[in-house]
């Protein structure tokens, strides 16, 4: 059962960015399900790794698009990505070291971050891509 849901407010109207974001929401649900079903550490490790990898790949895709169009908000946007990436990697390290457990709070934090980031920052990027007539793919 998913606990995180896509809604229209998250739609930035850029096909490739929106599909990445939808997949991130799906992955958060996959991690939640694995956690909720009491899956073993190997499963949790692998679903968490997938989330981490996909997040980084998605950020890189947005950053590449920004660089291609010499986007003026690049530095600030990348800083946001870097901060979240550091947090997620630190969380993963602690999880692998057995110092923290995965929790709904943690996933909720990631979802909230994503939601806010999409609405405040990615929407501007999608608009700029549209104006520059550059595809983010
Ligand atoms: Fe972004």
């Amino acid at each position: 059962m998913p606990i995180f849901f896509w809604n229209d407010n998250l739609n930035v109207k850029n096909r490739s960015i929106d599909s990445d974001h939808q997949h991130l929401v799906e992955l958060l649900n996959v991690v939640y399900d694995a956690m909720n079903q009491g899956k073993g550490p190997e499963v949790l490790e692998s679903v968490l790794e997938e989330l981490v990898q996909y997040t980084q790949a998605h950020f890189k895709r947005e950053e590449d698009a920004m660089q291609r169009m010499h986007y003026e908000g690049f530095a600030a946007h990348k800083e946001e990505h870097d901060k979240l990436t550091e947090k997620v990697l630190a969380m993963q390290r602690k999880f692998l070291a057995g110092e923290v457990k995965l929790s709904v709070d943690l996933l909720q934090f990631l979802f909230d971050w994503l939601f806010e980031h999409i609405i405040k920052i990615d929407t501007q990027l999608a608009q700029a891509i549209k104006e520059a007539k550059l595809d983010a793919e």
Side-chain angles (χ1 to χ4, degrees):
M1 284 278 287
I3 57 163
F4 302 111
F5 294 93
W6 184 259
N7 69 63
D8 249 2
N9 292 331
L10 294 169
N11 193 349
V12 300
K13 300 187 178 72
N14 174 293
R15 203 162 13 112
S16 95
I17 295 178
D18 284 331
S19 106
D20 272 14
H21 289 158
Q22 282 169 13
H23 191 57
L24 280 169
V25 173
E26 273 168 34
L27 286 175
L28 284 170
N29 283 311
V30 169
V31 176
Y32 171 76
D33 281 341
M35 192 184 84
N36 203 30
Q37 290 160 12
K39 298 280 187 194
E42 311 80 41
V43 175
L44 292 182
E45 273 171 32
S46 93
V47 292
L48 185 61
E49 175 65 17
E50 200 184 339
L51 176 65
V52 169
Q53 294 275 339
Y54 194 84
T55 304
Q56 287 180 297
H58 162 62
F59 285 171
K60 175 92 173 44
R61 279 193 282 278
E62 281 190 3
E63 288 160 15
D64 286 349
M66 287 189 255
Q67 281 187 307
R68 283 204 302 276
M69 60 191 277
H70 308 290
Y71 185 52
E72 61 173 14
F74 174 72
H77 197 142
K78 185 171 189 309
E79 200 182 321
E80 290 279 314
H81 287 173
D82 288 349
K83 275 194 219 157
L84 197 265
T85 302
E86 267 172 45
K87 262 195 187 136
V88 169
L89 289 175
M91 174 199 79
Q92 188 184 31
R93 269 197 305 276
K94 284 185 189 165
F95 172 73
L96 292 174
E99 292 166 24
V100 292
K101 288 190 170 164
L102 294 183
S103 66
V104 176
D105 284 354
L106 193 72
L107 296 174
Q108 185 71 50
F109 164 80
L110 293 175
F111 180 79
D112 291 346
W113 184 93
L114 189 65
F115 193 95
E116 202 178 311
H117 180 79
I118 291 172
I119 289 182
K120 287 192 182 158
I121 298 187
D122 289 340
T123 306
Q124 292 167 17
L125 171 61
Q127 184 60 33
I129 290 172
K130 198 173 159 194
E131 280 162 16
K133 297 192 171 44
L134 176 95
D135 208 17
E137 288 160 276

